[in-house]
Amino acid sequence: KKLHPKPALTQNKSWAELEDAAGHMAAKKTTTNPFYVNDLYYKAMLQPKLDKLHGYKKGASYATSKQYQDLQLVLDVLKEAGAKPLFVSVPVNGYWSDYTGFPAKGRTDYYVKVKKQVEKNGFPVLDLSSHEYDKYFFKDTIHLGYKGWVSVDKGILQFEKQQ
């Protein structure tokens, strides 16, 4: 695998053009499922157990978790070190979350809580939570795909310009 695309794919392209190209690339690899995830992942990991996964997260919420304490430890260390990070709040795949029964409120509670905790500690957040239902934003049920990475790249470059 090549770690870097051909420069011609990205040079002198607007963010809109990059997002459009990402969408076209992803669409070619996402033709067999209603969740807009990569077909290889869908066929190997989801399709065989699709019936069992329907509704399995009904009533779930990430509003409370011991992991918020872990996040606070990371924030404390970064503050102590004088670091100036950009936190990226990645959404979950809305299409998949709806299928599994993970309620919108449970997801929103999570986005709000993480953003509030990070900002309270003085760090900026690239909040991508509004992209839950963007087609091709994810390569699977939780990891960023082509369009998701365009959004992250854009946010990081904007953050760097402000530094």
Side-chain angles (χ1 to χ4, degrees):
K1 293 182 179 181
K2 293 182 180 179
L3 295 178
H4 301 285
K6 295 176 185 174
L9 293 176
T10 57
Q11 283 182 336
N12 302 316
K13 300 276 195 301
S14 69
W15 288 111
E17 289 171 317
L18 292 172
E19 186 174 325
D20 188 53
H24 287 296
M25 288 170 49
K28 291 177 186 176
K29 297 180 179 192
T30 308
T31 61
T32 63
N33 65 86
F35 309 113
Y36 300 97
V37 299
N38 182 283
D39 289 334
L40 294 174
Y41 174 81
Y42 175 75
K43 288 176 183 178
M45 304 301 291
L46 299 180
Q47 194 172 31
K49 52 188 174 184
L50 206 54
D51 290 339
K52 292 179 185 174
L53 295 171
H54 189 257
Y56 88 101
K57 284 198 171 192
K58 187 174 184 176
S61 176
Y62 294 157
T64 58
S65 171
K66 291 181 181 181
Q67 292 177 335
Y68 290 110
Q69 294 169 352
D70 296 340
L71 175 59
Q72 188 58 53
L73 291 172
V74 170
L75 295 167
D76 291 344
V77 167
L78 290 169
K79 278 193 294 188
E80 187 176 308
K84 295 182 181 180
L86 171 65
F87 281 80
V88 180
S89 178
V90 177
V92 296
N93 182 320
Y95 299 103
W96 178 249
S97 294
D98 290 346
Y99 183 81
T100 62
F102 187 11
K105 181 175 180 352
R107 301 183 320 243
T108 301
D109 289 348
Y110 153 69
Y111 302 140
V112 169
K113 188 164 187 169
V114 167
K115 187 171 193 248
K116 184 177 179 181
Q117 184 174 356
V118 171
E119 288 178 339
K120 181 180 175 184
N121 283 271
F123 299 117
V125 176
L126 174 58
D127 183 356
L128 300 176
S129 62
S130 65
H131 296 279
E132 281 189 336
Y133 292 99
D134 288 7
K135 295 176 183 177
Y136 317 120
F137 201 80
F138 304 91
K139 72 176 180 179
D140 55 30
T141 58
I142 59 171
H143 296 100
L144 293 173
Y146 294 111
K147 287 179 79 174
W149 281 112
V150 171
S151 293
V152 170
D153 289 346
K154 181 180 178 183
I156 289 172
L157 287 174
Q158 288 173 341
F159 174 72
E160 284 291 318
K161 286 179 183 177
Q162 295 171 356
Q163 297 308 304

